[in-house]
Amino acid sequence: MRTVELVCSPGLDVAVRAVWGRLAAAGLPSLARNIHPTNRPHLTLAAVDDFPPGVAHRLAELFDAALPVPVTLERVVVLDGSAPLVWLVRPTPALTTLHAAVWDVLAEADGQRPWHAPGEWVPHLSLALRFRDADLRRARAVSGGQRPAGDFVGARSYDGTDRTVTPLTRLG
């Protein structure tokens, strides 16, 4: 699997990592416990089986023209399905336009994950995986109720097979 992800500006990255740390310190599930070097706050725009020839270059051109994209985080929720604890991202016109453009570039890719498709996608930054609804109130208290703002400043692709990251911009 290959993803297309946006990465956060330094200040936004620090804000998300601080919540990861507070969740872990409170004994709650947290991505702070994932020590793999590729683990960092990011927004997934799409995931496919693999990139067709030329797609990485086309994505890089797209991101070079579109980034940075301003972002504001909203409330902390538990998503349905695999139950991740996430910080919702306000879906601004600039962000949804970029998301749709990424899907246009990936139109010929096999294995498109439908939960990332336009109209289905819930933009978010993950805080923890496999989170219990019963702990949501405590997680919201620990997260502090802030709604930080910043930018998405770079893009990258994560390869789930070999657990490596390929930059799709200079700041990816």
Side-chain angles (χ1 to χ4, degrees), residues 54-113:
V55 162
H57 179 73
R58 290 177 55 209
L59 287 170
E61 288 178 338
L62 173 66
F63 291 127
D64 285 344
L67 295 177
V69 172
V71 61
T72 301
L73 303 185
E74 295 187 327
R75 68 190 192 284
V76 171
V77 302
V78 176
L79 292 182
D80 292 337
S82 62
L85 179 72
V86 303
W87 217 334
L88 294 177
V89 172
R90 184 175 298 148
T92 63
L95 183 59
T96 56
T97 298
L98 179 58
H99 177 247
V102 165
W103 273 77
D104 287 345
V105 170
L106 294 171
E108 302 302 317
D110 290 332
Q112 297 172 350
R113 304 318 193 260

Side-chain angles (χ1 to χ4, degrees), residues 1-167:
M1 176 190 71
R2 294 283 303 267
T3 64
V4 178
E5 304 171 353
L6 297 178
V7 296
C8 302
S9 57
L12 191 57
D13 188 275
V14 166
V16 174
R17 287 177 189 272
V19 171
W20 287 0
R22 290 196 302 272
L23 289 167
L28 293 166
S30 170
L31 285 174
R33 293 185 178 92
N34 179 347
I35 59 169
H36 194 272
T38 63
N39 183 40
R40 70 182 289 185
H42 66 274
L43 174 70
T44 303
L45 299 173
V48 298
D49 288 344
D50 204 0
F51 289 164
V55 162
H57 179 73
R58 290 177 55 209
L59 287 170
E61 288 178 338
L62 173 66
F63 291 127
D64 285 344
L67 295 177
V69 172
V71 61
T72 301
L73 303 185
E74 295 187 327
R75 68 190 192 284
V76 171
V77 302
V78 176
L79 292 182
D80 292 337
S82 62
L85 179 72
V86 303
W87 217 334
L88 294 177
V89 172
R90 184 175 298 148
T92 63
L95 183 59
T96 56
T97 298
L98 179 58
H99 177 247
V102 165
W103 273 77
D104 287 345
V105 170
L106 294 171
E108 302 302 317
D110 290 332
Q112 297 172 350
R113 304 318 193 260
W115 52 87
H116 293 124
E120 299 298 322
W121 180 60
V122 177
H124 65 273
L125 301 178
S126 295
L127 300 172
L129 305 178
R130 295 173 209 73
F131 204 83
R132 298 175 336 145
D133 279 327
D135 290 328
L136 179 58
R137 181 175 297 203
R138 190 166 160 224
R140 284 182 172 154
V142 167
S143 70
Q146 316 133 329
R147 297 196 178 199
D151 296 288
F152 289 120
V153 295
R156 69 182 195 167
S157 175
Y158 176 75
D159 184 326
T161 301
D162 61 14
R163 297 185 74 191
T164 59
V165 170
T166 302

